[in-house]
Amino acid sequence: MLRAGLGRRSRCCGGLWRSPCPAAASGSARALSAASASPSPGSGGGARSGDAPPAGASNVKPLDGVKILDLTRILAGPFATMNLGDLGAEVIKVERPGAGDDTRAWGPPFAGTESVYFLSVNRNKKSIAINMKDSKGVKLIKELAAASDVFVENFVPGKLAEMGLGYEDIKKIAPHIVYCSITGYGQTGPVVQRGGYDSIAAAVSGLMHITGHEDGEPVRAGVAMTDLATGLYTYGAIMAGLLQRYKTGKGLHIDCNLLSTQVACLTHVAANYLNCKIEAKRWGTAHGSIVPYQAFKTKDGYIVVGAGNDHQFVTVCKILNLPEVSKDSRYKTNTLRVQNRKELIDILSTRFSEKATTEWLQLFEGHGVPYGPINNMQQVFSDPQRTT
């Protein structure tokens, strides 16, 4: 959600790019050091300078010259700012003196002394430790904000305002700023003061309720999808905020939160309830509205097959050498297949169990039906398609 700010355009704010303001040239600002996370291959070597890129430069990235002051920690915020850094923005990550970002201690595994978790979402950044409970630290944050285009934070609502670093405070010294707040539950409502972690937001939003085996317990997704989705919403909102500032000359306040993000990502599950009062359930790897669309056990592993239309279903039956199934009146349309799910899945499962995964992959190749194996990490990172 975007809330338009009322601040006037700064004189040194010429469009998407801004030159450094004098306040950033203080000795404290020179304490910036490269973050422990190294740039990924092909990332262009990390952060950029604050000057507008030269016109026509062939190696210019979309966000070259954009400065981001990053006060976030854990996952959603760092993931968003890392993606902005990948596009060329200069990201200055502010951490607590001593301990730093909480995820620096999340391990094992560690790469040397560094948490692999921390490294996974903090490439292309510079790092500075600032004690924001000290007036000198607050002053330095304001100096950095005045020289930045974007200010990103994920404190509990009201916490930064108590320090004099809330949106209204920063807007006074940096009316051009795109100020983004990431929280667990937003800026208003009865539970806004609660901290927000991915698992809790996944539970409250209903994601855990619909994740897991059909007759099993609720399950957490294998990665923090609520945090990651919030990071992507944040990333897109900041890009839109920069574009809006380019058009209007005004800064703005962006409000992103885990709960709203995950509820939005319920998509058709939420629509089923809101429009038809159909309570959601867990389907394992299957889909409530499409059959077949799930994992099938083979002789030595699993294959996932999705028949999104009737033609694809006929093709699946042909590959499985089950022509009589495609002609069966109970399975002629997707609606009928959903209604007769159990009988059909039993037939398909029996056939899939007769061959090894690689044999089925070869048989499905080139027939226009979406399919694929369930890979472990070694298989993922040795897949020639991924390395192409």
Side-chain angles (χ1 to χ4, degrees), residues 210 264-275 278 283 287-289:
I210 61 174
C265 289
L266 293 177
T267 57
H268 70 282
V269 175
N272 289 347
Y273 177 76
L274 294 172
N275 291 282
I278 298 174
W283 287 103
H287 194 292
S289 300

Side-chain angles (χ1 to χ4, degrees), residues 214-226:
E214 185 172 356
D215 299 317
E217 298 293 322
V219 172
R220 175 186 176 274
V223 293
M225 288 309 305
T226 302

